[in-house]
Amino acid sequence: KQVSPIPPPTTNKHLVKKTVSTKLRAIGAACSTPLANRQVEVEKKDSFMYYVKKTLEISACHKLTLSYDSKCCNMHGHNWIITIHCKSRELNAEGMVADFTEVKERIHGQLDHANLNEVVPFNPTAENMARWICDQIPHCYRVDVQESEGNTATYEKDDDED
């Protein structure tokens, strides 16, 4: 395969020339017109993506509202490890997908040493917190919320949601 280099951040379209693969050659051999050594031009729109992630540690307490008896219905705390994943096809004017300091201020600033029941208007499960955090950060597509060593919840947007 021959692939053109990644275009500069301001370029959104480029052409990639691909040599016909061995599988297509095999198909071509069965046809009357051979496909071997042909070049195929494929227009690829936005064929590159920048990815960044920011990991935060949050000390916060919460109690859950559950339909069954659980010790989690009592106020308790965690040292949450939150990993925020962002992506973008283009960088901002400063050359970033997301400013790590801004991400930290938006999330750590609101949640650290807080009672999550007083911060968010829903049952603060790890799953709900992951989605809420994702909605707070531009270009965020995935959030991992680890309550403890063995308990992690992940929220990931579908590609259609961006």
Side-chain angles (χ1 to χ4, degrees):
K1 271 190 206 178
Q2 181 183 6
V3 179
S4 64
I6 295 175
T10 55
T11 304
N12 285 331
K13 296 179 184 177
H14 66 283
L15 294 177
V16 177
K17 289 185 178 181
K18 292 186 176 181
T19 304
V20 176
S21 71
T22 306
K23 287 182 181 178
L24 286 177
R25 283 192 203 113
I27 293 168
C31 299
S32 60
T33 307
L35 297 174
N37 298 323
R38 284 192 188 176
Q39 293 286 317
V40 178
E41 285 194 10
V42 178
E43 183 176 352
K44 288 219 158 192
K45 296 180 182 178
D46 303 319
S47 62
F48 59 95
M49 185 71 70
Y50 297 96
Y51 294 88
V52 297
K53 69 178 179 177
K54 173 73 175 166
T55 301
L56 308 167
E57 184 169 353
I58 306 290
S59 294
C61 68
H62 68 155
K63 64 178 182 175
L64 301 181
T65 303
L66 303 172
S67 61
Y68 55 91
D69 288 334
S70 170
K71 62 183 181 179
C72 295
C73 295
N74 299 318
M75 186 64 68
H76 63 283
H78 300 283
N79 289 323
W80 308 68
I81 304 296
I82 298 170
T83 305
I84 299 164
H85 302 259
C86 299
K87 67 181 179 177
S88 180
R89 295 193 189 284
E90 295 184 11
L91 301 177
N92 66 17
E94 289 78 26
M96 296 184 274
V97 172
D99 184 317
F100 292 135
T101 302
E102 183 180 331
V103 171
K104 181 178 179 179
E105 288 172 358
R106 282 188 183 208
I107 303 307
H108 193 271
Q110 289 186 69
L111 302 181
D112 191 47
H113 287 83
N115 176 347
L116 299 180
N117 298 84
E118 295 175 358
V119 176
V120 296
F122 49 79
N123 197 21
T125 62
E127 296 86 346
N128 285 335
M129 293 305 300
R131 181 171 185 165
W132 181 83
I133 292 165
C134 194
D135 291 343
Q136 304 307 301
I137 305 296
H139 305 295
C140 184
Y141 71 96
R142 175 183 168 166
V143 175
D144 303 312
V145 173
Q146 181 180 334
E147 281 188 338
S148 61
E149 184 66 30
N151 299 321
T152 302
T154 297
Y155 174 77
E156 187 167 349
K157 289 182 181 179
D158 288 337
D159 289 337
D160 298 344
E161 291 183 55
D162 284 336

